[in-house]
């Protein structure tokens, strides 16, 4: 069996797979087959007789874990199902479910998403009568998250002079108090946020060495994917777990470390050897994804970073076309150039719109792209929109389900106590909250005994609601997740209320609830799931990552639009990186320090290496910002690409159209003889239209007619196709060959 999969690997990959003992670092360049190496390394361990329960494999998305498990199972069979494999958050949430009582949490603790956390912080800010403009929930949570990722406790935060000085300088001296209140309220509600799943795991291992020893003995082999994206908290957990056996293998690429804003610490991979002097290092340097020109261009950019693990990435694929750089007069012009390029490439090369992706530094850049794509009837999908689980009706039903599993979940309780309306007004809710705070009881404890605090007329609907939730809890203990959820959706009155709304929006909300129930049914019917309880399902959906949600984008053939951060781990045949301008990319906020600028350069490297066959970069010389038209300067990153691998193209009307960009006069200078010179095709002589050229009415254009184009010259119409009111003409031009043009834009003179 071993021979079968080892024969599929190159020399470096095979060496990394077979090195199973001791610490190991696999530096994997973009497109170098790291997933294959991780997969076969796990398979090799199992082939050597290692118990799958003794292997821990940590990833950053559920999708990556699922794909890896499926691949391992293909090699070694169903034994792979017993692996401990998943995201950091899902694996340690599972451990915390078993051990939470040791640190004072219920095993049925709720996992708060970012919206739950923002709502709670907003409530605390209001209760403390602080300025909600100064103490914005997202800002406060960012500060709290950074503290947790660095394992700074509430007490440490409140007593650290440097932290106190920072908050006072920012005119937010109460952040520490908000952190304290937030943690207390989460604890009282039996809830953890995403950061807590790692923070509390560290607390568990630190305070209970018997628990740490238990998992050190269990996980004899620890593997971490995308190690360059780990934060301090994740680094410490993995180091503790591997401390006994020291069989730790990390896989990553420092050149693709782009999540510092989320707390990722590139020094974890750069300094890995300091923790393990006996480290075995393997470099995967062959890129199987991209053409040589794309790989060479990426190398020429990333070599400008000082903080890096040196490697020589190469490709044995075709040389490919040169990287095209488009210069436009404005952001709208840039959108038109990109849309036209996509349309022409699709038609001329018989591609699918799924082959194309437009990547940008910020979400706001999508507007000009969207408008231009719509004008050409090009279907597109935007990754990063509102996710299914963030829709109001879904959050409402999920709140009922969360409350069923954990009645102390304050955010869920507040959300549904009067939905659908049952006569529990804001005044009543405020009274109950005040009683809970004054008596130091949870909100649920007060709600479930409301008759003690309120007159009968007011308390009756509250008591009735509490009885409902108690009955749901009993039911959920007996039935699987689907049966419990179906009953709760009906009994709560939610389905009836949504069904009664006959508007298009109402129908959509009702269908979304049906889709959620379908998803729960699918979850329960999965034969590989041992735990089919409502609690297990809720944990599963709480741990869905942003990357996993990309797969929920609309179906059907469409161009993908997304930020570069969202594109990490993906690949497309043709990639457009737009907005290559100073202060946009690199971002204005990321050019004040070398570390930040190097992170931006790594982000550009990630963007370049998403492309398989064709890469196009574009920039505008002017762009609207806050309603004002501003001049733009092209990105410094364009100057860092070795000029041998690029071709510049200007839109008509932009400064320098038809002339080489003066800042690229060095384009013909050979700065290095280390790489072969790309073969360039000689450009055809540019056609010049006569002075009296005037477009004809093409509404009656027919196949076989001769036409003249101001740019492509003379040609013959070979085919016409009309879709949704838009006519496309396929024309065979004498000088430039076949082109597919939109008649509404083509400016043809019929001869």
């Amino acid at each position: 069996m071993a021979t079968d999969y080892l024969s599929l690997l190159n020399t470096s990959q095979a060496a990394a797979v077979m090195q199973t003992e001791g610490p190991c670092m696999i530096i994997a360049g973009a497109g170098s087959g790291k997933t294959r190496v991780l997969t076969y390394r796990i398979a090799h361990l199992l082939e050597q007789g290692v118990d799958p329960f003794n292997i821990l494999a940590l990833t950053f998305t559920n999708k990556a874990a699922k794909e890896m498990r499926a691949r391992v199972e293909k090699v070694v069979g169903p034994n792979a199902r017993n692996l401990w494999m998943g995201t950091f958050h899902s694996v340690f949430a599972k451990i915390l479910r078993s051990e939470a009582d040791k640190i004072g949490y219920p095993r049925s603790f709720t996992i708060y998403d970012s919206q739950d956390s923002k709502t709670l912080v907003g409530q605390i800010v209001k209760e403390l009568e602080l300025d909600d403009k100064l103490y914005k929930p997202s800002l406060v949570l960012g500060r709290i998250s950074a503290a947790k990722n660095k394992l700074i406790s509430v007490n440490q935060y409140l007593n650290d002079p440097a932290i106190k000085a920072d908050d006072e300088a920012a005119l937010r001296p109460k952040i520490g108090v908000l952190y304290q209140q937030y943690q207390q309220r989460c604890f009282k509600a039996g809830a953890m946020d995403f950061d807590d799943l790692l923070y509390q795991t560290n607390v568990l291992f630190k305070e209970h060495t018997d628990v740490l020893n238990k998992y050190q003995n269990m996980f004899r082999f620890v593997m971490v994917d995308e190690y360059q994206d780990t934060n301090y908290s994740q680094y410490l957990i993995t180091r503790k777990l591997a401390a006994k056996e020291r069989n730790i293998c990390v896989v990553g690429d420092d050149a693709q470390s782009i999540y510092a804003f989320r707390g990722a610490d590139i020094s974890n991979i750069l300094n890995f050897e300091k923790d393990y002097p006996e480290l075995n290092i393997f470099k995967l340097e062959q890129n199987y994804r991209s053409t040589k020109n794309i790989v060479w261009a990426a190398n020429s950019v990333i070599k400008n970073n000082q903080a890096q693990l040196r490697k020589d990435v190469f490709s044995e694929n075709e040389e490919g076309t040169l990287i095209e750089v488009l210069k436009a007069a404005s952001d709208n012009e840039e959108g038109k150039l990109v849309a036209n390029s996509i349309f022409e490439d699709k038609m001329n090369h018989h591609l699918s719109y799924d082959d194309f992706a437009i990547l940008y530094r910020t979400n706001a850049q999508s507007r000009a792209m969207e408008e231009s794509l719509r004008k050409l009837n090009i279907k597109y999908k935007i990754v990063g929109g509102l996710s299914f689980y963030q829709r109001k009706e879904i959050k409402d039903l999920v709140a009922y389900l969360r409350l069923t599993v954990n009645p102390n979940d304050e955010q869920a309780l507040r959300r549904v106590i009067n939905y659908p309306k049952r006569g529990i007004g804001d005044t009543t809710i405020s009274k109950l909250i005040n009683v809970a705070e004054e008596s130091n009881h949870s909100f649920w404890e007060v709600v479930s005994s409301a008759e003690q605090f309120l007159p009968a007329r007011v308390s009756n609907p509250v008591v009735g609601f509490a009885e409902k939730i108690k009955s749901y809890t009993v039911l959920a203990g007996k039935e699987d997740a689907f049966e419990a959820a179906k009953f709760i959706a009906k009994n709560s009155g939610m389905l009836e209320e949504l069904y009664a709304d006959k508007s298009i929006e109402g129908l959509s909300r009702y269908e979304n609830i049906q889709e959620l129930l379908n998803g729960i049914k699918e979850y329960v019917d999965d034969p590989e799931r041992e735990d089919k309880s409502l609690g297990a399902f809720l944990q599963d959906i709480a741990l869905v990552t942003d990357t996993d949600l990309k797969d929920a984008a609309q179906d059907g053939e469409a161009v993908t639009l997304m930020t570069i951060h969202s594109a990490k781990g993906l690949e497309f045949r043709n990639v457009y990186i737009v907005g290559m301008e100073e202060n946009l990319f690199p971002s204005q906020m990321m050019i004040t320090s070398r570390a930040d600028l190097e992170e931006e350069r790594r982000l550009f490297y990630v963007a370049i290496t998403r492309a398989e066959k064709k890469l196009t970069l574009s920039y505008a010389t002017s762009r609207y910002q806050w309603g004002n038209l501003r001049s733009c300067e092209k990105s410094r990153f364009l100057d860092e690409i070795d000029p041998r691998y690029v071709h510049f193209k200007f839109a008509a009307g932009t400064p320098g159209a038809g002339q080489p960009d003066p800042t690229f006069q060095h384009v013909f200078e050979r700065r290095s003889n280390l790489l072969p010179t790309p073969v360039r095709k000689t450009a055809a002589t540019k056609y010049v239209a006569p002075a009296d050229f005037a477009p004809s009415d093409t509404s009656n254009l027919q196949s076989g007619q001769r036409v003249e184009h101001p740019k492509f010259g003379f040609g013959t119409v070979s085919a016409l196709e009309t879709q949704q009111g838009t006519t496309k003409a396929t024309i065979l031009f004498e000088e430039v060959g076949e082109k597919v043009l939109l008649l509404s834009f083509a400016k043809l003179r019929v001869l």
Side-chain angles (χ1 to χ4, degrees):
M1 179 68 76
T3 308
D4 293 338
Y5 58 77
L6 290 177
S7 65
L8 301 173
L9 304 172
N10 64 34
T11 305
S12 299
Q13 291 173 332
V17 164
M18 297 178 72
Q19 179 65 51
T20 56
E21 299 291 328
C24 169
M25 179 164 67
I26 302 171
I27 303 169
S32 63
K34 72 176 178 64
T35 304
R36 171 180 287 192
V37 170
L38 262 179
T39 299
Y40 290 150
R41 194 171 191 277
I42 294 169
H44 190 64
L45 283 168
L46 296 175
E47 287 284 306
Q48 301 299 308
V50 175
D51 189 323
F53 288 102
N54 294 148
I55 299 174
L56 171 63
L58 297 166
T59 65
F60 272 80
T61 69
N62 293 304
K63 180 187 175 188
K66 189 175 181 181
E67 288 180 356
M68 209 178 297
R69 190 189 300 273
R71 289 195 195 185
V72 175
E73 193 169 338
K74 274 187 178 179
V75 179
V76 300
N79 206 21
R81 297 175 190 176
N82 296 323
L83 291 164
W84 276 72
M85 182 182 288
T87 64
F88 274 90
H89 292 92
S90 64
V91 167
F92 296 114
K94 185 177 179 181
I95 288 175
L96 286 170
R97 289 283 177 213
S98 301
E99 316 288 351
D101 55 322
K102 293 181 175 63
I103 52 174
Y105 281 85
R107 293 189 176 188
S108 59
F109 63 83
T110 297
I111 300 173
Y112 276 176
D113 64 16
S114 59
Q115 192 55 54
D116 293 321
S117 296
K118 284 179 185 177
T119 302
L120 177 54
V121 169
Q123 290 164 356
I124 298 170
V125 167
K126 187 176 181 181
E127 291 162 12
L128 295 179
E129 298 181 346
L130 298 174
D131 184 346
D132 59 1
K133 292 184 177 64
L134 200 56
Y135 291 95
K136 291 181 180 178
S138 56
L139 187 147
V140 174
L141 278 170
R143 191 74 170 155
I144 292 173
S145 176
K148 287 182 182 177
N149 286 334
K150 293 175 182 173
L151 302 182
I152 298 172
S153 68
V154 169
N155 287 337
Q156 288 172 317
Y157 195 102
L158 289 171
N159 294 303
D160 189 306
I163 293 175
K164 186 177 180 181
D166 282 348
D167 286 344
E168 287 177 350
L171 303 178
R172 297 182 180 89
K174 297 291 186 182
I175 296 275
V177 175
L178 290 170
Y179 182 13
Q180 183 181 48
Q181 290 283 317
Y182 175 75
Q183 286 302 97
Q184 287 176 355
R185 292 281 279 275
C186 285
F187 185 75
K188 192 186 289 186
M192 296 188 197
D193 62 21
F194 255 47
D195 294 318
D196 278 325
L197 295 176
L198 302 178
Y199 178 86
Q200 298 297 349
T201 299
N202 273 295
V203 170
L204 176 69
F205 287 166
K206 183 179 180 180
E207 296 181 354
H208 299 273
T209 53
D210 57 324
V211 176
L212 175 59
N213 289 336
K214 169 183 170 182
Y215 290 102
Q216 284 176 334
N217 291 327
M218 179 185 293
F219 301 136
R220 292 180 48 231
F221 295 88
V222 177
M223 275 175 270
V224 187
D225 191 15
E226 304 285 9
Y227 191 68
Q228 76 279 351
D229 294 334
T230 54
N231 59 33
Y232 179 67
S233 183
Q234 291 163 327
Y235 157 77
L236 209 57
I237 290 173
T238 51
R239 195 178 76 170
K240 284 180 179 178
L241 287 174
K244 188 173 182 181
E245 298 284 346
R246 296 180 76 80
N247 293 327
I248 181 169
C249 174
V250 301
V251 184
D253 181 7
D254 58 293
Q256 297 186 65
S257 178
I258 59 173
Y259 292 121
F261 68 97
R262 290 184 186 171
D265 187 349
I266 192 173
S267 67
N268 290 348
I269 192 167
L270 295 179
N271 299 330
F272 191 68
E273 192 169 3
K274 291 181 180 178
D275 286 334
Y276 303 96
E278 74 275 34
L279 183 67
N280 292 288
I281 299 176
F282 301 93
K283 294 182 180 181
L284 308 184
E285 296 172 310
Q286 182 173 353
N287 181 306
Y288 292 92
R289 174 189 300 153
S290 308
T291 63
K292 289 177 180 175
N293 274 322
I294 292 170
V295 171
W296 289 335
N299 288 347
S300 67
V301 169
I302 202 63
K303 74 178 183 182
N304 291 285
N305 272 12
Q306 289 184 9
Q308 63 172 297
L309 299 168
R310 297 288 172 182
K311 56 187 173 299
D312 299 311
V313 179
F314 67 94
S315 172
E316 292 186 354
N317 295 334
E318 62 184 345
E319 191 170 280
T321 58
L322 296 177
I323 294 163
E324 195 166 79
V325 179
L326 306 179
K327 177 182 179 182
S330 67
D331 47 352
N332 287 331
E333 178 74 35
E334 181 187 34
K336 289 176 186 175
L337 286 175
V338 170
N340 285 330
S341 174
I342 290 173
F343 180 82
E344 289 182 11
D345 272 0
K346 178 185 185 293
M347 294 302 174
N348 292 334
H349 300 290
H350 308 291
L351 303 176
S352 159
Y353 282 135
D354 288 336
D355 292 324
F356 297 86
I358 300 174
L359 309 182
Y360 33 75
R361 180 63 179 84
T362 65
N363 278 306
Q365 291 170 252
S366 74
R367 180 198 58 79
M369 296 297 140
E370 290 184 69
E371 288 180 4
S372 297
L373 292 171
R374 282 199 296 267
K375 285 176 183 174
L376 294 186
N377 290 322
I378 296 174
K379 290 185 178 179
Y380 63 89
K381 59 187 176 186
I382 296 180
V383 173
L386 188 66
S387 84
F388 180 77
Y389 291 107
Q390 292 300 318
R391 292 169 180 161
K392 179 188 179 298
E393 62 277 10
I394 300 302
K395 287 185 75 74
D396 288 337
L397 181 51
V398 168
Y400 268 110
L401 305 183
R402 279 170 37 178
L403 200 55
T404 298
V405 172
N406 174 19
N408 283 317
D409 185 341
E410 182 182 338
Q411 294 308 304
L413 180 50
R414 286 188 181 218
R415 188 176 187 97
V416 298
I417 191 171
N418 197 39
Y419 176 76
K421 292 188 181 300
R422 52 177 61 87
I424 305 174
D426 291 343
T427 304
T428 301
I429 294 171
S430 294
K431 284 181 181 177
L432 293 169
I433 289 170
N434 289 335
V435 170
E437 290 173 357
E438 290 169 4
S439 62
N440 200 28
H441 286 92
S442 71
F443 189 24
W444 168 252
E445 287 171 330
V446 175
V447 166
S448 58
S449 55
E451 70 279 1
Q452 297 179 26
F453 311 105
L454 301 170
R457 180 181 59 81
V458 181
S459 67
N460 284 342
V462 179
V463 172
F465 170 75
E467 292 302 320
K468 264 184 186 286
I469 300 301
K470 289 175 184 176
S471 69
Y472 297 164
T473 302
V474 173
L475 177 73
K478 298 176 181 177
E479 301 286 353
D480 62 34
F482 174 70
E483 294 299 331
K486 184 172 69 170
F487 179 84
I488 293 167
K490 290 180 179 178
N491 187 264
S492 65
M494 266 195 69
L495 276 183
E496 184 180 352
E497 171 147 317
L498 292 174
Y499 185 74
D501 183 353
K502 298 300 182 184
S503 67
I504 294 174
E505 294 81 6
L507 179 62
S508 175
R509 286 192 286 267
Y510 181 78
E511 289 173 346
N512 285 338
I513 293 295
Q514 293 287 353
E515 184 57 34
L516 176 61
L517 293 173
N518 292 341
I520 301 175
K521 180 63 174 164
E522 188 178 332
Y523 177 91
V524 167
D525 288 345
D526 185 345
E528 293 185 16
R529 294 194 187 278
E530 295 179 12
D531 190 347
K532 302 177 188 294
S533 68
L534 189 57
F537 170 76
L538 289 171
Q539 175 175 306
D540 195 66
I541 62 169
L543 294 169
V544 172
T545 67
D546 293 343
T547 308
D548 297 318
L549 291 172
K550 290 173 194 168
D551 297 332
Q554 68 186 59
D555 294 328
E557 183 187 324
V559 175
T560 300
L561 277 67
M562 63 171 75
T563 65
I564 302 168
H565 282 100
S566 298
K568 187 165 178 292
L570 304 179
E571 55 190 47
F572 300 90
R573 188 187 190 280
N574 290 16
V575 169
Y576 294 78
I577 308 172
V578 301
M580 292 298 305
E581 297 141 33
E582 282 294 296
N583 298 326
L584 184 56
F585 194 20
S587 166
Q588 188 172 11
M589 296 183 292
M590 300 291 282
I591 56 177
T592 56
S593 73
R594 179 179 298 280
D596 286 344
L597 183 59
E598 293 201 350
E599 170 122 346
E600 285 289 282
R601 189 177 286 111
R602 291 194 295 269
L603 189 61
F604 185 40
Y605 177 84
V606 166
I608 292 173
T609 54
R610 299 311 95 199
E612 297 173 354
K613 298 287 187 182
K614 183 182 178 185
L615 175 64
T616 304
L617 311 175
S618 66
Y619 68 100
T621 56
S622 65
R623 185 177 296 272
Y624 275 98
Q625 291 180 316
W626 306 109
N628 298 314
L629 188 63
R630 297 188 179 181
S631 296
C632 302
E633 180 186 348
K634 76 177 188 304
S635 171
R636 70 188 72 186
F637 293 153
L638 290 177
D639 289 322
E640 293 179 356
I641 303 175
D642 191 310
R644 290 177 293 172
Y645 313 125
V646 293
H647 165 66
F648 296 92
K649 183 177 179 182
F650 305 138
T654 56
Q659 300 294 325
D661 190 325
T663 56
F664 287 96
Q665 287 300 321
H666 61 299
V667 71
F668 301 109
E669 297 174 11
R670 300 296 172 195
R671 296 186 302 187
S672 168
N673 293 318
L674 296 176
L675 298 174
T677 303
V679 178
R680 297 175 185 264
K681 290 185 178 179
T682 304
T685 304
K686 186 176 180 181
Y687 177 75
V688 180
D692 63 348
F693 180 89
S696 305
D697 176 7
T698 55
S699 57
N700 295 314
L701 188 68
Q702 295 180 6
S703 182
Q705 284 186 292
R706 290 271 294 163
V707 294
E708 182 184 11
H709 186 276
K711 179 180 177 183
F712 303 134
F714 297 100
T716 303
V717 179
S718 56
L720 294 165
E721 180 186 1
T722 302
Q723 290 182 344
Q724 300 177 339
T726 300
T727 301
K728 304 167 188 173
T730 303
I731 304 171
L732 182 61
F733 289 100
E734 295 171 359
E735 295 293 333
V736 297
E738 189 175 83
K739 296 283 184 181
V740 179
L741 305 175
L742 283 178
L743 286 189
S744 55
F745 290 93
K747 295 183 181 179
L748 297 172
R749 178 159 69 175
V750 180
L751 303 176

